[in-house]
Amino acid sequence: MKTPVRPVSLTEASQFRDAMSRLPAALTVVTTVDADGRRWGFTASSVVSVSLDPPLLLVGLSRSSSCHQALVAAPEFVVNVLADHHRALARTFAAHGVDRFAGEDFTVWPGTGLPYLPDAHTAYRCLRHDVVAAGDHDLLLGALTGADGGRPGAPLLWYRRDFHTPR
């Protein structure tokens, strides 16, 4: 006989974080450039497809992120889906107060100034379609304008506050 499962009360942020840590998510690095040509990027696990017609994806972006203003203002951005060998890069782009692009192998998406990872599992180029407020985050909606990828290997996942790859 199975033990009954009790619902978890989600009255505190820490309880919500604990509950959501059990939802596996692909790790990505979202990148853009601002009007001055400065590169911006952060590690994101809240990225999902939204619509087929038009093709849209969504990126959850904390309003307290150092990249927030640059990303909501940028007309374009790239979502780089990380592979297993990008663990260190995921940590770097999640860190505060560091040059996230230093020593990393980013290149420019052809015909744009957008930085992207040529060895990403997959990369999606997007035009900013909309920005929607949601609690302490903004939801950045991107209209897909290109994809580069399908490289061999497994994507990097975030689950229970650690890195994993599907087997």
Side-chain angles (χ1 to χ4, degrees), residues 16 76 105:
F16 181 69
E76 294 183 276
D105 294 326

Coordinates of all heavy atoms in Angstrom, one line a residue, residues 16 76 105:
F16 N 8.5 27.3 -1.9 CA 8.2 27.3 -3.3 C 9.5 26.9 -4.1 O 9.5 26.1 -5.0 CB 7.8 28.7 -3.8 CG 7.5 28.8 -5.3 CD1 6.4 28.1 -5.8 CD2 8.3 29.5 -6.1 CE1 6.1 28.2 -7.2 CE2 8.0 29.6 -7.5 CZ 6.9 28.9 -8.0
E76 N 16.7 42.1 -30.1 CA 17.0 40.7 -30.4 C 17.8 40.0 -29.3 O 18.5 40.7 -28.5 CB 17.8 40.5 -31.7 CG 17.2 41.0 -33.0 CD 18.1 40.7 -34.1 OE1 19.0 41.5 -34.4 OE2 17.9 39.6 -34.8
D105 N 34.0 31.0 -25.4 CA 34.1 30.8 -26.9 C 32.8 31.3 -27.6 O 32.2 30.5 -28.3 CB 34.5 29.4 -27.2 CG 35.9 29.0 -26.8 OD1 36.7 29.9 -26.8 OD2 36.0 27.9 -26.4

